[in-house]
Amino acid sequence: MLKYGGYCGRFLRVDLTAKKITTEELTEEFVKKYVGCNGFGAAILYNELPARIDPFSAANKVVVATGPLTGTVVPCTPKVGFFTKSPLTGGFMDSYAGGHFGAELKFAGFDGVIIEGASEAPTWLYIEDGQAELRDASKLWGLSVPETEAAVRRDLNNDAVHVASIGPAGEQLVRFSCVMVDMSHAAGRGGVGAVLGSKKLKAIAVYGRKNPIPVADPEAVLALAEKIYQHIQETPSLATGMPKYGTTGALKANQTSGILGTRNWQSETFEHASSIDGDACLRELFEKNLACFQCPLRCTHFSRIKEGKYAGTTTIGPQYETMYSLGSVCGLTDIKAVAKANEYCNAMGLDTISAGVTVAFAMELYERGILSYEELGGLDLTFGNDEGLLAALESIVARRGIYKLLGEGTKRAAEVLGRETYKYAINVKGLELAGHSVRGYKGMSLGYATSTRGGSHQDMRHIPERAGLFDRRDPSGKAQLNYDITSTTTIRDTLNYCAMIEDVVGRVGITEKHAEMVNAVTGLNLSVNEVQQLADRIWNLERAFNVREGMSRKDDVLPYRFMHEPIPEGPSEGMYCPPEELEKMKDELYEIRGWTRDGIPSRDKLLELGLDQVAEELWP
């Protein structure tokens, strides 16, 4: 039995080819070295995946993992991580969902699941209190996410079961398909849903009641929980702002600063922002709050449209990223239309960020005359045309005409289309950008470019710059800021607490608070330096995964638009990140991280972090 708190002590391994399910004990050495979710996922993928495999081959794997905080009394710790080689980027991908699935998996007796091989016929996995079995999913194949979850619960005669599933988009191998958890939460980025689709795994259902999660120091954990509750109560933006608006308040804040992606980022101010902001959601959509496991914030909203052409629509959210990607970046001016598109994406299992940014890419090509009305299958993709957006999304899922190519993502689509369409493809390493400005934050410029997963806002965080703690217009010092912030987000994703409580333990740099959190739950007794080393080990392992796939400095670049076109108007007018500025910041960051000038983790750095096998492989 594992001596550390916060763990069940074992993983499930599911071989879909052989239809074989086994359990594997976590070793003390593995736990001490990688601690939890992000660390477990990175280590398993690096150690078990051959280099340069096709992400849709049976050789790829999906790791589902929790952290030591998951399922404990510590509030705001609901996350579950999904890890794979991304079909969108060709590199390491980690994507996280909230809800109750992660805690339920641990209550069922497992810290995670390793899914490998591929089934010949559709199947789904059921896990209950230490047992697991594969079931026939032939009748589920082709169903939407809500239909799938309802069918699984009917089959089990249990409404309390929690379900992670894919929709038709994943089945059709749309490269930005996601995994939906309980219909409310998405492990959205990087195409994990498409990888599960390639394995013909439609759903994972979990039910657990017999496995309470032990902690190393119960009194310290209760004190930590009290501290987080107190912080929430004393912080108006959390205590009242999140239940009222969720993350939708970010739209107004970004519009005010002139950094709201608009019409495929041709500009960063949206003249119709007030029609799709948080107040519009309150007026037109939100009906009641929903909460993740053990979370007092209740930042998720159930929405219903009661009148108009989209009357009858019900959806969860939208949250800020979707209001950006299906709203301002596509030029939509009707929050009800955004909600309708969000409902469709969730039902089909599409990542709303990549889906919206990809349609916006097509809209700009249409308005510039690069793609014709006929090439677009007779769709009018003028910016702001909500019916065109919805029809384009449906065609992507159906893989119809040119939309089959668009379902490959903006990077691949631009490579096939040619005609200098790369200038309008908004992605980093193939992952379409989230809704926090590259041009308006120098820290984010470097953060997006060097993120191991591409255009994600969850590695580098914009909030310290938006709050004015750091000058968002000055590139100096941003390499150190990137190192300090990505260290904390790596630990956040390893312990599995929500980004909403980053302030409790600190957003910039590893501190004693991070060590106290991990030690209270696990008893690992890590020092601050050892927590920093843990963050470095995991980040370098992710980087090494990408290096093994052929990535290097040449891939740490930004979309053409952000390096060559200044923001044309508004409060951030004139800001951009020219190539020479980005290259200088990269030099500084590589030096801080102990990487070569080509962005490769040095042999000495890897050995220092205990990654001897990786050092031998990268530096034979």
Side-chain angles (χ1 to χ4, degrees):
M1 182 177 177
L2 197 65
K3 70 178 183 181
Y4 300 117
Y7 303 98
C8 302
R10 59 181 181 164
F11 263 60
L12 269 179
R13 185 178 291 273
V14 180
D15 184 338
L16 294 171
T17 302
K19 301 186 184 306
K20 182 180 178 182
I21 300 175
T22 56
T23 60
E24 295 182 3
E25 304 296 316
L26 289 176
T27 67
E28 289 185 20
E29 179 185 9
F30 186 74
V31 168
K32 288 171 67 175
K33 194 166 185 178
Y34 299 108
V35 174
C37 185
N38 193 178
F40 289 170
I44 293 169
L45 284 188
Y46 190 91
N47 291 334
E48 297 192 6
L49 289 195
R52 315 275 178 132
I53 59 168
D54 180 346
F56 288 149
S57 71
N60 198 6
K61 303 188 183 190
V62 175
V63 179
V64 184
T66 63
L69 294 176
T70 312
T72 70
V73 298
V74 179
C76 305
T77 57
K79 299 288 187 179
V80 58
F82 293 78
F83 304 83
T84 194
K85 179 178 178 180
S86 168
L88 201 56
T89 70
F92 177 84
M93 183 56 60
D94 49 335
S95 190
Y96 303 84
H100 293 70
F101 186 93
E104 196 76 10
L105 181 60
K106 290 182 74 170
F107 297 153
F110 299 99
D111 294 298
V113 185
I114 302 168
I115 300 161
E116 59 191 21
S119 177
E120 291 185 359
T123 187
W124 64 281
L125 175 66
Y126 181 48
I127 304 167
E128 178 179 349
D129 287 329
Q131 304 296 317
E133 61 178 303
L134 289 167
R135 295 191 175 192
D136 178 15
S138 56
K139 293 183 179 179
L140 305 182
W141 207 248
L143 297 184
S144 69
V145 167
E147 290 168 339
T148 299
E149 292 194 10
V152 166
R153 293 190 174 102
R154 274 199 309 273
D155 186 62
L156 296 170
N157 192 28
N158 185 354
D159 287 337
V161 72
H162 292 282
V163 183
S165 65
I166 65 170
E171 298 173 13
Q172 295 295 323
L173 306 186
V174 175
R175 288 182 187 263
F176 43 83
S177 305
C178 66
V179 178
M180 292 299 298
V181 173
D182 292 341
M183 296 189 293
S184 311
H185 305 275
R189 308 309 323 267
V192 183
V195 177
L196 290 182
S198 73
K199 296 180 178 302
K200 287 191 166 50
L201 183 63
K202 180 68 174 176
I204 306 171
V206 294
Y207 184 69
R209 290 296 182 272
K210 298 181 179 178
N211 190 63
I213 310 303
V215 295
D217 187 340
E219 290 187 7
V221 170
L222 282 174
L224 174 64
E226 286 290 337
K227 185 177 182 180
I228 294 173
Y229 275 117
Q230 185 177 354
H231 173 84
I232 291 170
Q233 291 171 348
E234 294 174 351
T235 307
S237 62
L238 295 178
T240 59
M242 294 308 294
K244 185 176 182 180
Y245 289 109
T247 59
T248 66
L251 192 138
K252 185 179 290 185
N254 287 346
Q255 167 71 3
T256 301
S257 298
I259 48 176
L260 176 62
T262 300
R263 298 184 184 89
N264 202 34
W265 292 94
Q266 293 180 84
S267 64
E268 300 199 22
T269 53
F270 186 42
E271 66 274 25
H272 301 291
S274 62
S275 66
I276 62 166
D277 65 9
D279 288 323
C281 290
L282 284 177
R283 287 194 309 272
E284 307 287 353
L285 300 178
F286 291 170
E287 189 168 289
K288 64 179 180 181
N289 289 86
L290 302 173
C292 294
F293 176 80
Q294 202 72 10
C295 183
L297 294 178
R298 299 175 297 118
C299 69
T300 306
H301 295 85
F302 176 81
S303 295
R304 185 191 306 276
I305 299 176
K306 297 177 180 175
E307 56 186 18
K309 68 178 180 180
Y310 297 122
T313 297
T314 59
T315 190
I316 308 300
Q319 296 190 353
Y320 165 70
E321 294 295 340
T322 298
M323 296 159 69
Y324 140 77
S325 60
L326 298 175
S328 62
V329 90
C330 289
L332 263 61
T333 61
D334 180 357
I335 192 62
K336 293 179 182 177
V338 176
K340 182 64 182 178
N342 184 55
E343 177 196 51
Y344 181 78
C345 287
N346 288 350
M348 295 297 107
L350 282 174
D351 170 21
T352 58
I353 297 176
S354 283
V357 173
T358 298
V359 175
F361 167 70
M363 287 176 161
E364 182 167 0
L365 298 187
Y366 176 56
E367 291 203 348
R368 288 182 178 274
I370 298 173
L371 287 180
S372 68
Y373 181 78
E374 290 74 22
E375 285 177 295
L376 290 169
L379 296 185
D380 174 11
L381 288 191
T382 305
F383 280 112
N385 183 352
D386 54 328
E387 294 180 357
L389 167 65
L390 287 165
L393 293 173
E394 291 174 4
S395 295
I396 287 172
V397 174
R399 311 226 69 176
R400 186 183 303 133
I402 196 172
Y403 299 93
K404 181 177 182 180
L405 176 61
L406 292 174
E408 300 287 291
T410 55
K411 182 174 186 291
R412 284 179 173 79
E415 289 170 353
V416 172
L417 290 171
R419 292 175 272 178
E420 296 191 335
T421 52
Y422 68 88
K423 292 182 177 178
Y424 317 112
I426 307 299
N427 67 75
V428 174
K429 299 183 176 74
L431 184 69
E432 285 71 25
L433 247 75
H436 300 281
S437 177
V438 169
R439 293 181 290 199
Y441 298 111
K442 296 300 182 186
M444 292 302 290
S445 305
L446 180 61
Y448 278 123
T450 58
S451 170
T452 55
R453 50 185 155 180
S456 170
H457 63 298
Q458 293 292 356
D459 292 324
M460 182 63 184
R461 301 287 283 159
H462 61 285
I463 294 174
E465 288 178 273
R466 189 172 73 184
L469 301 175
F470 299 86
D471 185 351
R472 69 183 178 93
R473 299 173 184 271
D474 185 356
S476 62
K478 294 305 185 289
Q480 186 65 49
L481 182 63
N482 176 282
Y483 175 76
D484 289 339
I485 290 180
T486 53
S487 293
T488 66
T489 54
T490 300
I491 295 302
R492 178 201 66 200
D493 293 339
T494 297
L495 301 181
N496 261 10
Y497 57 87
C498 180
M500 299 304 157
I501 62 165
E502 286 173 339
D503 275 339
V504 176
V505 284
R507 297 181 191 273
V508 185
I510 300 296
T511 69
E512 191 66 43
K513 293 178 181 177
H514 293 92
E516 290 173 358
M517 179 179 270
V518 64
N519 291 335
V521 175
T522 66
L524 282 164
N525 197 29
L526 300 181
S527 67
V528 173
N529 287 339
E530 287 171 323
V531 177
Q532 179 65 65
Q533 191 171 53
L534 171 66
D536 290 344
R537 183 179 302 122
I538 296 168
W539 189 261
N540 275 272
L541 197 53
E542 294 179 11
R543 182 78 178 187
F545 184 101
N546 286 349
V547 169
R548 196 171 61 175
E549 296 299 320
M551 296 188 194
S552 63
R553 183 185 188 109
K554 69 182 187 311
D555 300 287
D556 290 343
V557 294
L558 294 169
Y560 177 90
R561 169 156 286 154
F562 302 143
M563 295 194 295
H564 297 88
E565 299 178 15
I567 296 175
E569 59 193 3
S572 297
E573 180 179 353
M575 291 188 71
Y576 73 122
C577 184
E580 59 273 20
E581 180 179 285
L582 177 62
E583 294 305 311
K584 184 173 186 296
M585 288 194 289
K586 283 161 58 176
D587 283 339
E588 294 168 355
L589 179 62
Y590 292 174
E591 184 173 351
I592 290 170
R593 285 206 169 275
W595 295 352
T596 69
R597 195 176 184 284
D598 203 28
I600 312 296
S602 68
R603 179 180 178 84
D604 287 347
K605 172 55 69 174
L606 293 170
L607 293 175
E608 173 191 320
L609 296 172
L611 298 173
D612 297 25
Q613 177 194 338
V614 181
E616 292 302 320
E617 193 163 5
L618 296 191
W619 300 98

PDB file of all heavy atoms in Angstrom, residues 430-457:
ATOM      1  N   GLY A 430      -0.023  24.705 -34.448  1.00  0.00           N
ATOM      2  CA  GLY A 430      -1.225  24.052 -34.956  1.00  0.00           C
ATOM      3  C   GLY A 430      -2.428  24.194 -34.053  1.00  0.00           C
ATOM      4  O   GLY A 430      -3.549  23.879 -34.471  1.00  0.00           O
ATOM      5  N   LEU A 431      -2.251  24.647 -32.812  1.00  0.00           N
ATOM      6  CA  LEU A 431      -3.377  24.819 -31.887  1.00  0.00           C
ATOM      7  C   LEU A 431      -3.894  26.256 -31.976  1.00  0.00           C
ATOM      8  O   LEU A 431      -3.137  27.212 -31.725  1.00  0.00           O
ATOM      9  CB  LEU A 431      -2.945  24.509 -30.454  1.00  0.00           C
ATOM     10  CG  LEU A 431      -4.071  24.552 -29.409  1.00  0.00           C
ATOM     11  CD1 LEU A 431      -5.054  23.394 -29.619  1.00  0.00           C
ATOM     12  CD2 LEU A 431      -3.505  24.488 -27.984  1.00  0.00           C
ATOM     13  N   GLU A 432      -5.165  26.402 -32.341  1.00  0.00           N
ATOM     14  CA  GLU A 432      -5.740  27.732 -32.498  1.00  0.00           C
ATOM     15  C   GLU A 432      -5.696  28.493 -31.168  1.00  0.00           C
ATOM     16  O   GLU A 432      -5.832  27.917 -30.091  1.00  0.00           O
ATOM     17  CB  GLU A 432      -7.184  27.632 -33.012  1.00  0.00           C
ATOM     18  CG  GLU A 432      -7.292  27.271 -34.483  1.00  0.00           C
ATOM     19  CD  GLU A 432      -6.908  25.844 -34.815  1.00  0.00           C
ATOM     20  OE1 GLU A 432      -7.009  24.991 -33.907  1.00  0.00           O
ATOM     21  OE2 GLU A 432      -6.498  25.578 -35.966  1.00  0.00           O
ATOM     22  N   LEU A 433      -5.537  29.829 -31.290  1.00  0.00           N
ATOM     23  CA  LEU A 433      -5.289  30.644 -30.112  1.00  0.00           C
ATOM     24  C   LEU A 433      -6.515  30.876 -29.244  1.00  0.00           C
ATOM     25  O   LEU A 433      -7.624  31.067 -29.752  1.00  0.00           O
ATOM     26  CB  LEU A 433      -4.740  32.011 -30.534  1.00  0.00           C
ATOM     27  CG  LEU A 433      -3.287  32.222 -30.102  1.00  0.00           C
ATOM     28  CD1 LEU A 433      -2.377  31.408 -30.993  1.00  0.00           C
ATOM     29  CD2 LEU A 433      -2.919  33.662 -30.100  1.00  0.00           C
ATOM     30  N   ALA A 434      -6.309  30.876 -27.942  1.00  0.00           N
ATOM     31  CA  ALA A 434      -7.329  31.262 -26.979  1.00  0.00           C
ATOM     32  C   ALA A 434      -7.525  32.781 -27.032  1.00  0.00           C
ATOM     33  O   ALA A 434      -6.850  33.495 -27.771  1.00  0.00           O
ATOM     34  CB  ALA A 434      -6.912  30.814 -25.585  1.00  0.00           C
ATOM     35  N   GLY A 435      -8.447  33.280 -26.207  1.00  0.00           N
ATOM     36  CA  GLY A 435      -8.905  34.653 -26.346  1.00  0.00           C
ATOM     37  C   GLY A 435      -8.158  35.704 -25.546  1.00  0.00           C
ATOM     38  O   GLY A 435      -8.765  36.688 -25.115  1.00  0.00           O
ATOM     39  N   HIS A 436      -6.874  35.501 -25.312  1.00  0.00           N
ATOM     40  CA  HIS A 436      -6.078  36.503 -24.590  1.00  0.00           C
ATOM     41  C   HIS A 436      -4.948  36.945 -25.504  1.00  0.00           C
ATOM     42  O   HIS A 436      -4.138  36.141 -25.958  1.00  0.00           O
ATOM     43  CB  HIS A 436      -5.592  35.929 -23.262  1.00  0.00           C
ATOM     44  CG  HIS A 436      -6.729  35.531 -22.373  1.00  0.00           C
ATOM     45  ND1 HIS A 436      -7.445  36.443 -21.627  1.00  0.00           N
ATOM     46  CD2 HIS A 436      -7.322  34.338 -22.168  1.00  0.00           C
ATOM     47  CE1 HIS A 436      -8.423  35.819 -20.983  1.00  0.00           C
ATOM     48  NE2 HIS A 436      -8.371  34.540 -21.284  1.00  0.00           N
ATOM     49  N   SER A 437      -4.864  38.227 -25.722  1.00  0.00           N
ATOM     50  CA  SER A 437      -4.098  38.813 -26.804  1.00  0.00           C
ATOM     51  C   SER A 437      -2.611  38.459 -26.798  1.00  0.00           C
ATOM     52  O   SER A 437      -1.943  38.542 -25.769  1.00  0.00           O
ATOM     53  CB  SER A 437      -4.249  40.333 -26.746  1.00  0.00           C
ATOM     54  OG  SER A 437      -3.471  40.939 -27.747  1.00  0.00           O
ATOM     55  N   VAL A 438      -2.129  38.083 -27.954  1.00  0.00           N
ATOM     56  CA  VAL A 438      -0.682  37.936 -28.169  1.00  0.00           C
ATOM     57  C   VAL A 438      -0.021  39.307 -28.234  1.00  0.00           C
ATOM     58  O   VAL A 438       1.018  39.550 -27.617  1.00  0.00           O
ATOM     59  CB  VAL A 438      -0.405  37.174 -29.478  1.00  0.00           C
ATOM     60  CG1 VAL A 438       1.074  37.249 -29.850  1.00  0.00           C
ATOM     61  CG2 VAL A 438      -0.841  35.716 -29.360  1.00  0.00           C
ATOM     62  N   ARG A 439      -0.651  40.214 -28.984  1.00  0.00           N
ATOM     63  CA  ARG A 439      -0.031  41.528 -29.223  1.00  0.00           C
ATOM     64  C   ARG A 439      -0.130  42.454 -28.010  1.00  0.00           C
ATOM     65  O   ARG A 439       0.717  43.331 -27.817  1.00  0.00           O
ATOM     66  CB  ARG A 439      -0.692  42.186 -30.438  1.00  0.00           C
ATOM     67  CG  ARG A 439      -0.415  41.477 -31.736  1.00  0.00           C
ATOM     68  CD  ARG A 439      -1.049  42.139 -32.933  1.00  0.00           C
ATOM     69  NE  ARG A 439      -2.509  42.038 -32.983  1.00  0.00           N
ATOM     70  CZ  ARG A 439      -3.246  42.204 -34.068  1.00  0.00           C
ATOM     71  NH1 ARG A 439      -2.654  42.493 -35.215  1.00  0.00           N
ATOM     72  NH2 ARG A 439      -4.559  42.089 -34.041  1.00  0.00           N
ATOM     73  N   GLY A 440      -1.162  42.265 -27.197  1.00  0.00           N
ATOM     74  CA  GLY A 440      -1.409  43.202 -26.101  1.00  0.00           C
ATOM     75  C   GLY A 440      -0.702  42.881 -24.804  1.00  0.00           C
ATOM     76  O   GLY A 440      -0.767  43.666 -23.854  1.00  0.00           O
ATOM     77  N   TYR A 441      -0.063  41.712 -24.742  1.00  0.00           N
ATOM     78  CA  TYR A 441       0.704  41.318 -23.545  1.00  0.00           C
ATOM     79  C   TYR A 441       2.038  40.758 -24.017  1.00  0.00           C
ATOM     80  O   TYR A 441       2.073  39.710 -24.675  1.00  0.00           O
ATOM     81  CB  TYR A 441      -0.001  40.215 -22.760  1.00  0.00           C
ATOM     82  CG  TYR A 441      -1.351  40.521 -22.188  1.00  0.00           C
ATOM     83  CD1 TYR A 441      -2.484  39.910 -22.707  1.00  0.00           C
ATOM     84  CD2 TYR A 441      -1.493  41.366 -21.084  1.00  0.00           C
ATOM     85  CE1 TYR A 441      -3.742  40.140 -22.154  1.00  0.00           C
ATOM     86  CE2 TYR A 441      -2.744  41.602 -20.526  1.00  0.00           C
ATOM     87  CZ  TYR A 441      -3.865  40.987 -21.070  1.00  0.00           C
ATOM     88  OH  TYR A 441      -5.093  41.210 -20.528  1.00  0.00           O
ATOM     89  N   LYS A 442       3.148  41.406 -23.681  1.00  0.00           N
ATOM     90  CA  LYS A 442       4.450  40.880 -24.091  1.00  0.00           C
ATOM     91  C   LYS A 442       4.728  39.519 -23.448  1.00  0.00           C
ATOM     92  O   LYS A 442       5.366  38.648 -24.047  1.00  0.00           O
ATOM     93  CB  LYS A 442       5.561  41.870 -23.722  1.00  0.00           C
ATOM     94  CG  LYS A 442       5.455  43.212 -24.458  1.00  0.00           C
ATOM     95  CD  LYS A 442       5.534  43.042 -25.967  1.00  0.00           C
ATOM     96  CE  LYS A 442       5.475  44.386 -26.675  1.00  0.00           C
ATOM     97  NZ  LYS A 442       5.417  44.230 -28.148  1.00  0.00           N
ATOM     98  N   GLY A 443       4.252  39.332 -22.221  1.00  0.00           N
ATOM     99  CA  GLY A 443       4.437  38.036 -21.575  1.00  0.00           C
ATOM    100  C   GLY A 443       3.715  36.931 -22.310  1.00  0.00           C
ATOM    101  O   GLY A 443       4.227  35.813 -22.453  1.00  0.00           O
ATOM    102  N   MET A 444       2.504  37.228 -22.786  1.00  0.00           N
ATOM    103  CA  MET A 444       1.740  36.225 -23.524  1.00  0.00           C
ATOM    104  C   MET A 444       2.368  35.964 -24.895  1.00  0.00           C
ATOM    105  O   MET A 444       2.262  34.867 -25.435  1.00  0.00           O
ATOM    106  CB  MET A 444       0.288  36.650 -23.673  1.00  0.00           C
ATOM    107  CG  MET A 444      -0.505  36.670 -22.359  1.00  0.00           C
ATOM    108  SD  MET A 444      -0.549  35.083 -21.502  1.00  0.00           S
ATOM    109  CE  MET A 444      -1.591  34.123 -22.594  1.00  0.00           C
ATOM    110  N   SER A 445       3.002  36.995 -25.480  1.00  0.00           N
ATOM    111  CA  SER A 445       3.688  36.781 -26.754  1.00  0.00           C
ATOM    112  C   SER A 445       4.685  35.639 -26.620  1.00  0.00           C
ATOM    113  O   SER A 445       4.691  34.686 -27.405  1.00  0.00           O
ATOM    114  CB  SER A 445       4.440  38.044 -27.192  1.00  0.00           C
ATOM    115  OG  SER A 445       3.602  39.165 -27.261  1.00  0.00           O
ATOM    116  N   LEU A 446       5.522  35.742 -25.596  1.00  0.00           N
ATOM    117  CA  LEU A 446       6.523  34.699 -25.363  1.00  0.00           C
ATOM    118  C   LEU A 446       5.865  33.405 -24.884  1.00  0.00           C
ATOM    119  O   LEU A 446       6.268  32.301 -25.264  1.00  0.00           O
ATOM    120  CB  LEU A 446       7.538  35.189 -24.329  1.00  0.00           C
ATOM    121  CG  LEU A 446       8.661  34.224 -23.972  1.00  0.00           C
ATOM    122  CD1 LEU A 446       9.514  33.877 -25.188  1.00  0.00           C
ATOM    123  CD2 LEU A 446       9.535  34.816 -22.857  1.00  0.00           C
ATOM    124  N   GLY A 447       4.837  33.549 -24.056  1.00  0.00           N
ATOM    125  CA  GLY A 447       4.180  32.373 -23.492  1.00  0.00           C
ATOM    126  C   GLY A 447       3.521  31.500 -24.540  1.00  0.00           C
ATOM    127  O   GLY A 447       3.670  30.268 -24.529  1.00  0.00           O
ATOM    128  N   TYR A 448       2.765  32.117 -25.441  1.00  0.00           N
ATOM    129  CA  TYR A 448       2.129  31.340 -26.505  1.00  0.00           C
ATOM    130  C   TYR A 448       3.199  30.675 -27.379  1.00  0.00           C
ATOM    131  O   TYR A 448       3.088  29.509 -27.750  1.00  0.00           O
ATOM    132  CB  TYR A 448       1.278  32.247 -27.382  1.00  0.00           C
ATOM    133  CG  TYR A 448      -0.110  32.580 -26.857  1.00  0.00           C
ATOM    134  CD1 TYR A 448      -0.511  33.894 -26.657  1.00  0.00           C
ATOM    135  CD2 TYR A 448      -1.032  31.573 -26.606  1.00  0.00           C
ATOM    136  CE1 TYR A 448      -1.789  34.216 -26.210  1.00  0.00           C
ATOM    137  CE2 TYR A 448      -2.318  31.878 -26.154  1.00  0.00           C
ATOM    138  CZ  TYR A 448      -2.692  33.197 -25.966  1.00  0.00           C
ATOM    139  OH  TYR A 448      -3.959  33.496 -25.524  1.00  0.00           O
ATOM    140  N   ALA A 449       4.216  31.433 -27.744  1.00  0.00           N
ATOM    141  CA  ALA A 449       5.219  30.914 -28.686  1.00  0.00           C
ATOM    142  C   ALA A 449       5.942  29.693 -28.136  1.00  0.00           C
ATOM    143  O   ALA A 449       6.264  28.762 -28.878  1.00  0.00           O
ATOM    144  CB  ALA A 449       6.224  32.009 -29.035  1.00  0.00           C
ATOM    145  N   THR A 450       6.191  29.662 -26.829  1.00  0.00           N
ATOM    146  CA  THR A 450       7.016  28.596 -26.258  1.00  0.00           C
ATOM    147  C   THR A 450       6.214  27.548 -25.496  1.00  0.00           C
ATOM    148  O   THR A 450       6.793  26.613 -24.942  1.00  0.00           O
ATOM    149  CB  THR A 450       8.080  29.198 -25.318  1.00  0.00           C
ATOM    150  OG1 THR A 450       7.426  29.960 -24.288  1.00  0.00           O
ATOM    151  CG2 THR A 450       9.027  30.112 -26.079  1.00  0.00           C
ATOM    152  N   SER A 451       4.889  27.693 -25.453  1.00  0.00           N
ATOM    153  CA  SER A 451       4.068  26.692 -24.776  1.00  0.00           C
ATOM    154  C   SER A 451       4.263  25.335 -25.412  1.00  0.00           C
ATOM    155  O   SER A 451       4.316  25.202 -26.640  1.00  0.00           O
ATOM    156  CB  SER A 451       2.589  27.097 -24.860  1.00  0.00           C
ATOM    157  OG  SER A 451       1.760  26.039 -24.415  1.00  0.00           O
ATOM    158  N   THR A 452       4.334  24.305 -24.587  1.00  0.00           N
ATOM    159  CA  THR A 452       4.546  22.965 -25.141  1.00  0.00           C
ATOM    160  C   THR A 452       3.327  22.481 -25.916  1.00  0.00           C
ATOM    161  O   THR A 452       3.445  21.644 -26.802  1.00  0.00           O
ATOM    162  CB  THR A 452       4.868  21.958 -24.024  1.00  0.00           C
ATOM    163  OG1 THR A 452       3.833  22.005 -23.041  1.00  0.00           O
ATOM    164  CG2 THR A 452       6.203  22.270 -23.392  1.00  0.00           C
ATOM    165  N   ARG A 453       2.152  23.005 -25.582  1.00  0.00           N
ATOM    166  CA  ARG A 453       0.964  22.532 -26.302  1.00  0.00           C
ATOM    167  C   ARG A 453       0.493  23.500 -27.380  1.00  0.00           C
ATOM    168  O   ARG A 453      -0.474  23.229 -28.078  1.00  0.00           O
ATOM    169  CB  ARG A 453      -0.171  22.221 -25.333  1.00  0.00           C
ATOM    170  CG  ARG A 453      -0.505  23.288 -24.332  1.00  0.00           C
ATOM    171  CD  ARG A 453      -1.579  22.807 -23.337  1.00  0.00           C
ATOM    172  NE  ARG A 453      -1.509  23.536 -22.075  1.00  0.00           N
ATOM    173  CZ  ARG A 453      -2.307  23.332 -21.052  1.00  0.00           C
ATOM    174  NH1 ARG A 453      -3.248  22.433 -21.129  1.00  0.00           N
ATOM    175  NH2 ARG A 453      -2.171  24.018 -19.923  1.00  0.00           N
ATOM    176  N   GLY A 454       1.107  24.654 -27.533  1.00  0.00           N
ATOM    177  CA  GLY A 454       0.737  25.592 -28.584  1.00  0.00           C
ATOM    178  C   GLY A 454      -0.084  26.751 -28.056  1.00  0.00           C
ATOM    179  O   GLY A 454       0.261  27.320 -27.018  1.00  0.00           O
ATOM    180  N   GLY A 455      -1.169  27.101 -28.772  1.00  0.00           N
ATOM    181  CA  GLY A 455      -1.897  28.334 -28.476  1.00  0.00           C
ATOM    182  C   GLY A 455      -2.827  28.282 -27.289  1.00  0.00           C
ATOM    183  O   GLY A 455      -3.988  28.678 -27.376  1.00  0.00           O
ATOM    184  N   SER A 456      -2.318  27.826 -26.168  1.00  0.00           N
ATOM    185  CA  SER A 456      -3.114  27.725 -24.942  1.00  0.00           C
ATOM    186  C   SER A 456      -2.808  28.878 -24.009  1.00  0.00           C
ATOM    187  O   SER A 456      -1.661  29.292 -23.888  1.00  0.00           O
ATOM    188  CB  SER A 456      -2.832  26.401 -24.232  1.00  0.00           C
ATOM    189  OG  SER A 456      -3.422  26.406 -22.937  1.00  0.00           O
ATOM    190  N   HIS A 457      -3.839  29.362 -23.320  1.00  0.00           N
ATOM    191  CA  HIS A 457      -3.665  30.429 -22.329  1.00  0.00           C
ATOM    192  C   HIS A 457      -3.488  29.867 -20.927  1.00  0.00           C
ATOM    193  O   HIS A 457      -3.474  30.619 -19.968  1.00  0.00           O
ATOM    194  CB  HIS A 457      -4.885  31.350 -22.337  1.00  0.00           C
ATOM    195  CG  HIS A 457      -6.160  30.650 -21.938  1.00  0.00           C
ATOM    196  ND1 HIS A 457      -6.682  29.608 -22.645  1.00  0.00           N
ATOM    197  CD2 HIS A 457      -7.010  30.847 -20.894  1.00  0.00           C
ATOM    198  CE1 HIS A 457      -7.799  29.188 -22.085  1.00  0.00           C
ATOM    199  NE2 HIS A 457      -8.022  29.918 -21.012  1.00  0.00           N
TER     200      HIS A 457
END
